[in-house]
Amino acid sequence: MRARDKAAVSALRATLAALDNAEAVPLDHSAPRAAALEASPVGAGATEAARRELSEEEVVDVVRAEAAERLQAAAHLTAPAHADRAERLRTEAAVLLRFLDGAATEDTAQSA
């Protein structure tokens, strides 16, 4: 990261956002949307919804999906004018897959 690897930074930022979205709790559509002002929650964080915790498998699935999405998008960019963008997407996918490979290597070393 110190070398300002733009592809890696872009891939990691997007993946962190995807993980953040995956932690969101689905909305309860049966709950009333508007109420009287005096019935509204008060105080810091009163309107914050609890986030769910992702398991390690779910995190790996999100990262794998982000890498697959980039590879699929790169495969669709066949025009020569889009070669740079396709290469950048492949590079971003490789960065994400390296993190998955690193996690798998650490798990194997810990279990041995």
Side-chain angles (χ1 to χ4, degrees), residues 96-112:
L96 296 175
L97 293 173
R98 262 187 283 152
F99 276 102
L100 291 179
D101 291 342
T105 303
E106 287 177 16
D107 289 343
T108 306
Q110 288 178 356
S111 64

Side-chain angles (χ1 to χ4, degrees), residues 1 17 29 31 39 102 104:
M1 293 299 156
H29 292 292

Side-chain angles (χ1 to χ4, degrees), residues 29-97:
H29 292 292
S30 64
R33 298 225 180 227
L37 184 60
E38 60 272 5
S40 65
V42 179
T47 58
E48 292 293 318
R51 312 278 292 169
R52 66 187 196 101
E53 282 193 38
L54 298 177
S55 69
E56 189 173 337
E57 292 173 8
E58 290 172 318
V59 171
V60 168
D61 289 343
V62 170
V63 175
R64 190 169 281 127
E66 286 291 308
E69 184 178 311
R70 282 166 174 72
L71 291 173
Q72 184 179 17
H76 289 291
L77 296 173
T78 57
H82 299 295
D84 290 341
R85 178 68 179 141
E87 185 56 35
R88 182 177 172 123
L89 288 168
R90 285 188 203 95
T91 303
E92 289 180 10
V95 167
L96 296 175
L97 293 173

